[in-house]
Amino acid sequence: MKCPFCQKSDTFVKNSREADEGKIIRRRRECKGCNNRFTTFEQIQIKKTVIIKRSGFKKLLDRSKILKSISMATRKRNISQEEIEKITDRICLKIENSNEKEVESRNIGNFIMHELAKIDQVAYIRFASVYKDFSNVKDFTKFINRLKK
């Protein structure tokens, strides 16, 4: 690992710790050249998954976009950031564990809806209103009536 200060490759690990429930390793390093210390984070990268948008445009899977969507749907609800992170992790794992190299964005939307339905109906409806592109109150009413059944 190159030192970010002097660019020398002669660095060593002072200590290592697990972070994020063992999903990430935090390493404290020191440069033998300039004696500066810095931290690196190591995490598993399973594969690159391509998302196919409704428009046909393709982008790499971006965990932060899933997290942001769930955070917006659960805003001002009694759902912790930790729970939101766990939901995001479950969705990303489901996507990465599939044998597909390309996944349609609507499948991700369905995964998110499924997870939100389990924890909070208001967040579920909020997400659905954007995801399913509700245009008026009738769309909400139909969707809510289907929920009641």
Side-chain angles (χ1 to χ4, degrees):
M1 176 74 54
K2 278 189 175 181
C3 173
F5 305 104
C6 70
Q7 304 304 311
K8 291 190 177 172
S9 296
D10 199 9
T11 64
F12 63 96
V13 175
K14 293 286 283 180
N15 65 36
S16 295
R17 275 188 236 170
E18 286 187 0
D20 195 23
E21 298 177 1
K23 297 175 190 164
I24 297 174
I25 301 293
R26 178 184 181 275
R27 300 197 192 282
R28 194 75 182 129
R29 297 177 179 270
E30 186 173 316
C31 177
K32 289 183 180 178
C34 66
N35 295 325
N36 279 314
R37 293 182 180 177
F38 58 99
T39 303
T40 59
F41 295 90
E42 179 181 311
Q43 72 183 57
I44 297 170
Q45 184 175 5
I46 297 175
K47 66 178 182 176
K48 302 275 187 200
T49 304
V50 174
I51 306 305
I52 304 170
K53 307 292 239 171
R54 288 180 188 170
S55 65
F57 188 73
K58 295 181 180 184
K59 292 188 90 171
L60 286 176
L61 174 65
D62 184 351
R63 181 186 185 280
S64 67
K65 286 188 176 187
I66 296 170
L67 181 69
K68 182 180 175 186
S69 294
I70 295 168
S71 295
M72 286 174 57
T74 57
R75 186 171 168 255
K76 294 190 179 181
R77 302 298 298 159
N78 193 22
I79 300 164
S80 69
Q81 186 62 36
E82 183 180 337
E83 182 64 21
I84 294 168
E85 292 280 348
K86 286 179 183 178
I87 292 167
T88 304
D89 288 344
R90 281 196 299 268
I91 291 167
C92 288
L93 267 175
K94 189 180 284 190
I95 294 165
E96 290 173 347
N97 287 338
S98 74
N99 291 326
E100 304 297 321
K101 291 181 181 177
E102 296 184 340
V103 177
E104 292 186 23
S105 61
R106 74 167 183 239
N107 292 342
I108 297 171
N110 290 333
F111 294 154
I112 294 171
M113 285 185 58
H114 178 75
E115 290 290 335
L116 290 175
K118 292 190 287 188
I119 62 161
D120 189 274
Q121 285 188 336
V122 173
Y124 175 66
I125 292 168
R126 281 181 183 166
F127 183 81
S129 70
V130 174
Y131 174 65
K132 297 202 177 274
D133 198 24
F134 291 178
S135 58
N136 56 47
V137 175
K138 288 179 187 175
D139 293 337
F140 278 96
T141 306
K142 283 184 208 174
F143 189 78
I144 292 170
N145 287 335
R146 275 187 272 153
L147 275 179
K148 289 179 182 179
K149 296 176 185 175

